[in-house]
Amino acid sequence: MGQVYDSVMAPPCIFCDNNSGSREHLWPDWLLKRHTFGPIKMQIGIKQRIIKPTPELKVKTVCCACNNGWMSQLEANNTSIIGPMSDSTPTTLDTAAQTLVAAWSIKGAMMSDSMRGRKGTKFYTRGECLNMRISRTIPPNTLVWIGRVDGKHIANVGTDFTWNDKNGKHLATNCLCTIAAGHFVTQVVSVHVEQPGANIQSIPCKAGNWNEKLIQIWPIQQPVVHWPPKIAITNGGPDGIAYLLDRWRLE
Ligand SMILES: [Zn+2]
């Protein structure tokens, strides 16, 4: 906290006090060995954006000890749950499984947040990241949903967005991360509330039959959930994955 890092020194790992230093693979081996992946095509206005599969992506913000220690353990604990969903196999998640998948999703959101090229600013606080390492604690004001995509993708797409009221008053800063792993997709929204009364449940998003396409797993609402949801997210069109990535962009 409040330390100044010499420009030649690597900043510490986002999850502990070690130097980040090394380059660690973003995606676990178990997932890469299981599938080949296709790109996600997004149309925003007249611009087309293609999110390429990123199996080789390396991260400079996490240390080797975290990657090979608790993060690797979190992968191992999730392999038997996310693995079948990535294959499109129907899966039942009890509260322990929902908690594990939520922690996996937020770990991915924190890594994504640390990799975005904003000058030194991150959304997740140091305390939120340390608590993830120490106890897999999920930050307050965080929602996680899971769904199924028709195609097999691998992507980790994160953005920040601000939430203003209708008079333009700043209510909260939010961080969104969508992770696709094969047919499995998870979406995380975390909110840092800046005005009293700004409630995470009321952040506006694009209209859509989200309740039929996504299952909320955090905060836990049901002791058991059955994946996949009623409606699959398609590769394109109005139920497409691009629309899911864009769910919280209102302007
Ligand atoms: Zn570390």
Side-chain angles (χ1 to χ4, degrees), residues 45 52 55 64-65 70 100 114 126 199 219 236-237 249:
K52 290 187 189 145
C64 180
W70 71 270
L100 277 170
S114 73
R126 183 123 185 103
N199 177 343
R249 204 172 58 95

Side-chain angles (χ1 to χ4, degrees), residues 12-20 61-67 70-71 133:
C13 166
I14 58 167
F15 294 115
C16 75
D17 291 331
N18 292 339
N19 282 348
S20 46
T61 52
V62 171
C63 76
C64 180
C66 280
N67 198 39
W70 71 270
M71 293 170 77
R133 183 197 86 231

Side-chain angles (χ1 to χ4, degrees), residues 62-223:
V62 171
C63 76
C64 180
C66 280
N67 198 39
N68 295 316
W70 71 270
M71 293 170 77
S72 169
Q73 187 59 53
L74 185 58
E75 291 297 338
N77 294 341
N78 271 286
T79 310
S80 64
I81 313 165
I82 296 175
M85 293 192 283
S86 76
D87 298 337
S88 201
T89 305
T91 301
T92 297
L93 294 91
D94 60 11
T95 56
Q98 293 177 64
T99 306
L100 277 170
V101 174
W104 185 90
S105 305
I106 289 148
K107 178 265 292 169
M110 287 173 166
M111 286 167 79
S112 172
D113 177 44
S114 73
M115 288 155 62
R116 284 203 289 285
R118 296 158 300 185
K119 283 207 169 89
T121 59
K122 294 183 185 70
F123 173 83
Y124 288 105
T125 65
R126 183 123 185 103
E128 287 171 338
C129 293
L130 295 183
N131 286 335
M132 170 56 62
R133 183 197 86 231
I134 294 163
S135 54
R136 271 14 116 234
T137 301
I138 292 170
N141 296 314
T142 293
L143 296 168
V144 184
W145 300 264
I146 56 175
R148 179 186 168 278
V149 197
D150 275 342
K152 285 203 284 187
H153 303 287
I154 191 166
N156 177 321
V157 182
T159 45
D160 296 343
F161 61 105
T162 53
W163 179 27
N164 299 329
D165 71 9
K166 58 183 185 307
N167 302 316
K169 187 177 177 188
H170 189 63
L171 299 178
T173 304
N174 310 326
C175 185
L176 169 69
C177 183
T178 309
I179 302 170
H183 290 285
F184 170 75
V185 66
T186 177
Q187 187 165 69
V188 176
V189 173
S190 291
V191 177
H192 288 163
V193 172
E194 278 146 41
Q195 290 293 332
N199 177 343
I200 187 169
Q201 299 294 345
S202 48
I203 332 169
C205 73
K206 284 195 166 127
N209 49 350
W210 301 115
N211 288 340
E212 291 173 290
K213 284 193 263 191
L214 296 172
I215 299 167
Q216 184 178 323
I217 58 160
W218 195 268
I220 290 174
Q221 294 190 311
Q222 301 168 63

